[in-house]
Amino acid sequence: MRYSITGAAAALLVASIAPALAQAPPPPPMAPMMTGVNWSGFYLGANGGGSWGDSSHSFRPAGTSTGNFNVHGPFGGGTVGFNWQVNPSWVLGVEGDIDGSGIGGNKLCPAVVVGGALCRTSNSWDGTARLRLGVAPGGGNLLWFVTGGAAFGDVNAAVDGNGRIRASTTNIGWTAGAGAEYMFAPGWSGKLEYRYTDLDSVSYGCPAGICATAQTGKAKYDSNNAVLLGVNYHFGAPPPPPPPMPVAAPPPPAPKVFIVFFDWDKDTITRDGMAIIQQAAAAYQSGAPVQIQVTGYTDRSGSPGYNQRLSERRANNVAKALAGMGVPRTQMAVSGRGENDNRVPTADGVREPQNRRVEIVAP
């Protein structure tokens, strides 16, 4: 008899606050980890292994016996079963298998058999129909189980000598064992199992001439231990869910830009310009304190050196006005770009009002 033993990543975005850029978006959510294995459902499989045990031939009324001798050999076949996972850890099941067998052995018959014949016992096929009770700690991939139920198969006897006796019967017996099964891939498991099986015996007649006097022989299949390996495909075990699609981070909000225009060759703030500065101060005070950029520009009339100094005076005057409206000077990056970065590209010496400006950029 055989007994089977079978056996997030988290992402973190770090963004620095650069001039004219918004704060980095929050990191994406962690992917959920797959929990538990579904053992429920119908499965088919294949198994194979080796068996060993004892047999003996006895004769009546002579009262003689071969004594115990070893029977052993390989076997292999198919498995079918169904599981119910009653909770994450406990699994109930029914399982059956049918196997071809090369198990056998022999020993010299006792003296009652004429001519020094060999007494043989063999088994060419067997099967089982069993219940299983298993536990998968934590609902995981490894299932430990015990099993037991009915066994059936042939028991064959032979006396190889003068006259050659052959006898065979199909018996129903019992089997029990334990093992472990491991789900190594979605829907696929491997198992290692041990079983003990008892298929009883077969009787045969030994007439005078083969035996010294007419006898009744009995070949007993005393014990059958088996270790097998198996692989099963579970039709009821769904594949693990695909990883969740990453949620695209929303685009950062566009920076707020306030532009204060100046008269030609002037660094004084006009009435319209002061209204723009008030809007910039209000925007700063309505949100989290961030560093704002105050950058002055000129058109391309005048020398580059003069224009650089003029752009710096314009930027400083705007920064002073912002500070008077409650924006800390420490929260401002003040600079001048002279006649660089024109809003409206022009030739050298051209007076362009759109280029005479200070830009206030708040992330």
Side-chain angles (χ1 to χ4, degrees):
M1 176 68 184
R2 262 157 264 122
Y3 180 76
S4 48
I5 301 176
T6 59
L12 179 62
L13 302 179
V14 179
S16 58
I17 299 176
L21 292 179
Q23 292 182 345
M30 294 178 61
M33 298 182 64
M34 188 181 77
T35 58
V37 170
N38 183 7
W39 289 95
S40 294
F42 176 71
Y43 61 91
L44 291 175
N47 69 74
S51 179
W52 71 98
D54 293 322
S55 181
S56 65
H57 284 231
S58 60
F59 296 87
R60 295 288 184 272
T64 60
S65 172
T66 60
N68 287 345
F69 60 89
N70 182 256
V71 289
H72 60 275
F75 63 88
T79 302
V80 61
F82 192 91
N83 287 327
W84 294 270
Q85 191 157 353
V86 295
N87 63 36
S89 295
W90 289 96
V91 178
L92 296 177
V94 292
E95 186 175 89
D97 48 29
I98 190 77
D99 296 294
S101 169
I103 300 168
N106 62 74
K107 189 175 182 180
L108 186 66
C109 292
V112 70
V113 180
V114 178
L118 290 175
C119 288
R120 303 179 185 275
T121 305
S122 65
N123 165 247
S124 63
W125 69 274
D126 63 21
T128 67
R130 295 168 285 106
L131 297 176
R132 294 204 315 170
L133 173 63
V135 59
N141 295 53
L142 181 61
L143 177 71
W144 298 94
F145 64 87
V146 294
T147 185
F152 47 91
D154 66 350
V155 180
N156 307 305
V159 176
D160 292 335
N162 181 28
R164 298 177 63 88
I165 297 171
R166 293 285 185 273
S168 180
T169 185
T170 297
N171 289 345
I172 297 177
W174 60 272
T175 183
E181 189 169 0
Y182 184 75
M183 194 79 72
F184 60 85
W188 289 95
S189 68
K191 69 178 179 179
L192 174 64
E193 184 172 347
Y194 164 83
R195 284 189 229 150
Y196 177 88
T197 302
D198 187 346
L199 286 178
D200 201 16
S201 61
V202 58
S203 296
Y204 57 90
C206 184
I210 297 177
C211 287
T213 60
Q215 300 285 318
T216 298
K218 183 177 183 180
K220 185 170 177 57
Y221 206 29
D222 289 324
S223 64
N224 181 4
N225 304 277
V227 172
L228 65 88
L229 292 172
V231 61
N232 294 324
Y233 179 73
H234 299 254
F235 294 92
M245 295 295 292
V247 178
K256 299 175 182 177
V257 180
F258 303 89
I259 302 177
V260 180
F261 291 104
F262 288 81
D263 293 331
W264 179 76
D265 198 26
K266 301 293 184 182
D267 59 15
T268 55
I269 302 170
T270 66
R271 180 181 300 175
D272 291 341
M274 193 61 72
I276 297 297
I277 294 172
Q278 288 174 339
Q279 294 176 21
Y284 170 85
Q285 292 163 352
S286 66
V290 293
Q291 187 179 67
I292 61 176
Q293 298 175 28
V294 180
T295 309
Y297 301 89
T298 68
D299 59 25
R300 301 196 65 189
S301 63
S303 68
Y306 178 83
N307 287 337
Q308 176 64 33
R309 293 188 294 274
L310 178 59
S311 69
E312 292 172 359
R313 291 197 303 272
R314 288 172 175 171
N316 283 317
N317 287 344
V318 170
K320 183 178 179 181
L322 282 169
M325 297 176 187
V327 180
R329 185 62 182 256
T330 55
Q331 293 297 106
M332 292 183 254
V334 183
S335 64
R337 294 284 294 151
E339 61 185 49
N340 299 301
D341 304 327
N342 295 154
R343 293 190 78 208
V344 179
T346 67
D348 190 28
V350 174
R351 300 179 182 182
E352 171 52 56
Q354 292 288 312
N355 294 336
R356 301 192 296 265
R357 72 198 190 279
V358 168
E359 293 185 357
I360 305 169
V361 180

